Amino acid sequence: MDALLKIQLLKTQFHKKHGIVKAVDGVDLKIHQGETLSLVGESGCGKSITGLSIMKLVPPPGRIVAGSIEFKKRNILNLSEKQMSKIRGKEIGLILQDPLSALNPVITVGEQISEVIRTHFPVNRKEAKNRTLDLMEKVQLPNVSSLYDSYPHQLSGGLRQRVLIAIALSCSPSLVIADEPTTALDVSIQSQILSLLKNLKKEFQISLLLITHDFSVVAEMADRVAVMYAGKIVEQANTFDIFTNPIHPYTKSLLDAIPKLDFSGKKKTKTIVPLKGAVPDMMNLPDGCTFYPRCSIADESCQKSYPKGFLSDGGKFVSCFKAKLA
Amino acid sequence: MSIFKIQSFQFWVGLSVLCLIILFISFSSFIIKYDPDVQNNPAENRLKKPSWKFCFGTDKFGRDVFSRVLYGGRISLLIAVSVVLFSAIIGSFYGAISGYFGGWLDQILMRFVDLLLSFPIIFLAITCMALFGSGHLMLIIVLTLTSWMDVARLVRAEVLSLKQRPFILKAKGAGLKTSRIIGRHLMPNVFLTVFTFSIIRMADIILIESALSFIGIGTQPPTASWGSMINDGKSYLPFEWWITFFPGIAILCTTMSLNFIGHGLKTLRE
């Protein structure tokens, strides 16, 4: 099966006065039709920039310097800004993290949905409004006709996120990029939004690129997981394999850092193991493996060069020298 | 966001005074007893002190100062409102385009603004009026051309920070046209800033118009504007003080109430 989105050796860099930030450094990703791929990693490791690169919306001074992004067999890096604006919103939808700041405070929510429909389809205002009301019902917003004329600040966080989902889905895109869609919401609302996303994904037959740092979201939603560290994909596998048999030490440490409930009392209580250190300064990455300074199993050989990724049995992609031994 | 939330005492004083002034000026034709421009009054009516008959006194031609203050107010306010309106429109679009696109376009547009701002307004206005003649229309054009740059700078600064906000990213991500992002998503967000600035700016325009009329290149006689009236009366100071005093007070009240309103609106922005 051909991939809907195929990213090869993508490099996005920020050329600043004091040096180059390699935010995305040679990322390979594939998303198939109807699949949910989750991109996980700590803050500042290049997840969001990967998502924005796909939309060609990397904020300046950021630039895509190498690689290719094939979407529906077209390399979108070669498309003009005008062709790109026909893909944005229509073919690829975007859901942002904080639903309050992602909505324009001075425009009614209905207008913010219907303007997207009017941009991409030759429909009049009335028809656009009807489609908007349908859409608002599909994302399970209550009292749609009165909500249509409300302003974002009058809505609760969960409702606002539903509005953003409606905007992303308004032109039935084939791919939706959701950048931490539930991070700004409280837990009970999170699960509602996630199950809504799951249902809509089925109904609209979309593929989903889910950017998150929350492994519970990954477990709930993803078919496959790509773990990202310092601009590179360090491990990629099926969701089940990631949780049951993580190979890369970074993935292992991320999973160890999740608080677990254990009431049985039988096991020795396993406390949370925090991952020491922080994502390295992206302007000044360590030589060799970028994870080396924080890695528990690294030795001198890891300092020499960056480990080439290899496919382990079961189709897992891992880039670590020690992984074969582990 | 309602203006009734403004709790500044100054704001309400300013608004009431301004409303009163506008009310008087709008209905001036029903209030006045004498034609403000006609000079052929009997000689004994010239340079009269304020009295029951002429409540603000009369000038050297026997014209009623009260009528002239009201009629002059029409001219002064009309000029101020048009200048502020036009420069707000021009400046907003110029600044929004400059700030939104950034880069070399921003550099070029802003250096041009710097260039225009390096001339003193009065000097630029005098030169233009000397070259192209005077008149109300010319006054409006010249003052607009010399005052839109401040709005452009203000809007540019505002847009520079607004365009970093996620809702602009959302709008781009939804594939909206650039014209729509600027017109529908950025402009309404800078409206209050521009409005507040324009209100305060109006006071400046009234003063500049008065200054130009005072040196004789603004409003031409016999038409009255507040500045030209002060100019007329200056040779009769200090004895026939009422000719300059009342238009002066009118300018003072108007500009002060505009400033009060402007500062009140600023609190609304926070």
Side-chain angles (χ1 to χ4, degrees):
Chain A
M1 194 170 67
D2 269 339
L4 175 73
L5 181 83
K6 195 171 161 191
I7 303 176
Q8 283 180 308
L9 286 172
L10 178 73
K11 290 187 177 185
T12 305
Q13 303 183 340
F14 290 72
H15 290 251
K16 299 201 168 171
K17 273 176 196 164
H18 309 291
I20 300 170
V21 177
K22 293 176 180 168
V24 179
D25 198 22
V27 162
D28 281 305
L29 280 178
K30 263 184 198 173
I31 300 179
H32 297 284
Q33 192 73 49
E35 186 185 40
T36 300
L37 175 70
S38 193
L39 201 54
V40 273
E42 285 165 286
S43 309
C45 66
K47 294 169 292 167
S48 297
I49 298 298
T50 308
L52 290 180
S53 300
I54 299 168
M55 303 286 270
K56 280 178 81 178
L57 282 176
V58 183
R63 234 164 14 99
I64 299 170
V65 292
S68 72
I69 300 173
E70 260 177 61
F71 177 70
K72 291 188 174 171
K73 291 175 183 163
R74 281 199 293 176
N75 185 355
I76 60 172
L77 296 183
N78 297 332
L79 296 183
S80 70
E81 191 59 19
K82 201 172 179 183
Q83 291 168 310
M84 206 51 222
S85 70
K86 282 182 189 141
I87 289 185
R88 289 181 200 135
K90 181 134 192 261
E91 308 259 1
I92 306 177
L94 179 67
I95 302 173
L96 293 172
Q97 177 177 353
D98 178 9
L100 179 58
S101 57
L103 289 169
N104 194 326
V106 298
I107 304 178
T108 61
V109 294
E111 173 70 16
Q112 294 195 52
I113 303 171
S114 80
E115 69 174 356
V116 183
I117 297 172
R118 291 207 308 276
T119 305
H120 294 291
F121 297 111
V123 292
N124 59 22
R125 277 178 178 275
K126 212 181 153 202
E127 172 62 19
K129 183 171 176 174
N130 287 337
R131 287 196 195 183
T132 303
L133 292 174
D134 279 353
L135 207 59
M136 288 169 78
E137 267 167 14
K138 280 212 173 111
V139 296
Q140 294 166 13
L141 284 163
N143 313 322
V144 284
S145 47
S146 69
L147 216 58
Y148 187 92
D149 293 316
S150 313
Y151 287 91
H153 69 268
Q154 297 169 308
L155 274 61
S156 69
L159 296 191
R160 284 183 209 130
Q161 193 56 281
R162 284 167 203 268
V163 173
L164 276 184
I165 292 173
I167 292 173
L169 294 179
S170 58
C171 303
S172 20
S174 36
L175 174 69
V176 168
I177 299 170
D179 190 352
E180 313 234 5
T182 54
T183 307
L185 306 172
D186 60 51
V187 186
S188 57
I189 307 292
Q190 273 187 19
S191 61
Q192 287 177 16
I193 293 290
L194 288 178
S195 72
L196 176 73
L197 262 179
K198 232 178 176 177
N199 294 336
L200 290 171
K201 206 197 113 202
K202 242 178 245 164
E203 193 182 336
F204 284 77
Q205 298 186 321
I206 51 176
S207 310
L208 190 63
L209 175 62
L210 187 68
I211 298 168
T212 183
H213 57 241
D214 186 344
F215 269 101
S216 57
V217 173
V218 174
E220 174 77 23
M221 301 289 291
D223 300 318
R224 272 192 311 128
V225 183
V227 181
M228 206 168 167
Y229 184 77
K232 292 185 169 76
I233 305 282
V234 294
E235 182 166 2
Q236 203 176 141
N238 291 328
T239 309
F240 185 75
D241 288 342
I242 284 279
F243 280 98
T244 52
N245 184 23
I247 293 178
H248 197 284
Y250 180 58
T251 315
K252 283 181 183 166
S253 340
L254 280 182
L255 288 167
D256 282 343
I258 303 172
K260 292 171 195 73
L261 287 176
D262 180 19
F263 296 115
S264 64
K266 285 173 193 164
K267 284 184 201 167
K268 253 189 178 177
T269 318
K270 196 182 174 191
T271 44
I272 309 167
V273 184
L275 179 50
K276 58 183 192 286
V279 177
D281 179 8
M282 299 289 273
M283 246 184 241
N284 194 10
L285 287 174
D287 294 334
C289 179
T290 43
F291 188 59
Y292 162 74
R294 299 168 77 186
C295 185
S296 52
I297 58 169
D299 58 25
E300 296 87 59
S301 63
C302 296
Q303 273 187 82
K304 284 172 189 148
S305 64
Y306 188 79
K308 246 190 185 167
F310 67 94
L311 283 174
S312 79
D313 37 291
K316 272 191 206 169
F317 169 90
V318 189
S319 66
C320 177
F321 291 124
K322 300 283 157 190
K324 284 172 200 169
L325 313 172
Chain B
M1 214 163 51
S2 150
I3 65 160
F4 296 107
K5 281 185 192 155
I6 299 178
Q7 290 184 337
S8 148
F9 178 65
Q10 278 190 350
F11 173 81
W12 294 109
V13 169
L15 195 66
S16 336
V17 171
L18 190 73
C19 286
L20 211 64
I21 292 172
I22 290 173
L23 210 66
F24 262 93
I25 286 171
S26 325
F27 292 101
S28 51
S29 29
F30 301 107
I31 301 168
I32 57 172
K33 291 178 278 185
Y34 310 96
D35 189 320
D37 297 338
V38 172
Q39 303 181 7
N40 56 357
N41 290 321
E44 66 266 25
N45 281 347
R46 288 178 192 167
L47 298 175
K48 283 285 175 212
K49 269 189 211 156
S51 62
W52 283 115
K53 199 175 169 201
F54 304 106
C55 56
F56 284 2
T58 62
D59 67 3
K60 60 182 167 181
F61 298 117
R63 296 177 294 198
D64 180 30
V65 173
F66 181 64
S67 324
R68 283 177 71 75
V69 166
L70 290 189
Y71 262 76
R74 285 184 174 186
I75 301 291
S76 293
L77 282 185
L78 178 77
I79 290 173
V81 169
S82 349
V83 167
V84 157
L85 187 69
F86 292 139
S87 39
I89 294 170
I90 298 173
S92 296
F93 277 97
Y94 192 95
I97 288 170
S98 184
Y100 183 76
F101 289 106
W104 58 269
L105 183 71
D106 181 39
Q107 288 294 321
I108 293 174
L109 291 178
M110 278 302 121
R111 291 303 78 75
F112 181 63
V113 162
D114 290 344
L115 187 79
L116 288 183
L117 277 173
S118 60
F119 294 104
I121 291 186
I122 295 269
F123 170 73
L124 213 61
I126 292 172
T127 317
C128 290
M129 308 284 285
L131 285 174
F132 306 113
S134 45
H136 291 143
L137 189 64
M138 187 50 76
L139 204 59
I140 291 174
I141 293 173
V142 166
L143 288 179
T144 304
L145 290 182
T146 48
S147 59
W148 61 269
M149 294 86 76
D150 290 323
V151 184
R153 272 193 171 175
L154 186 75
V155 171
R156 173 183 171 268
E158 196 94 332
V159 166
L160 278 182
S161 79
L162 275 176
K163 75 170 177 180
Q164 310 284 347
R165 301 261 297 269
F167 67 81
I168 296 297
L169 184 64
K170 178 221 75 181
K172 284 183 184 168
L176 299 187
K177 291 194 187 77
T178 307
S179 55
R180 189 171 176 87
I181 294 178
I182 292 179
R184 192 74 182 83
H185 287 257
L186 286 175
M187 284 304 188
N189 281 294
V190 296
F191 173 75
L192 196 59
T193 314
V194 172
F195 185 71
T196 309
F197 179 78
S198 297
I199 290 283
I200 296 177
R201 186 75 194 167
M202 243 169 101
D204 294 345
I205 299 295
I206 289 177
L207 290 177
I208 292 172
E209 189 275 329
S210 303
L212 287 175
S213 301
F214 178 77
I215 55 178
I217 58 168
T219 308
Q220 298 301 308
T223 315
S225 83
W226 290 339
S228 64
M229 290 178 69
I230 295 177
N231 183 28
D232 287 345
K234 71 173 187 290
S235 41
Y236 295 92
L237 281 172
F239 302 108
E240 283 84 19
W241 52 270
W242 54 88
I243 308 176
T244 46
F245 178 76
F246 291 107
I249 286 290
I251 294 176
L252 184 78
C253 289
T254 314
T255 51
M256 260 180 63
S257 53
L258 284 171
N259 275 309
F260 285 171
I261 294 170
H263 284 296
L265 285 175
K266 264 188 194 164
T267 62
L268 190 64
R269 271 173 55 202
E270 266 108 56

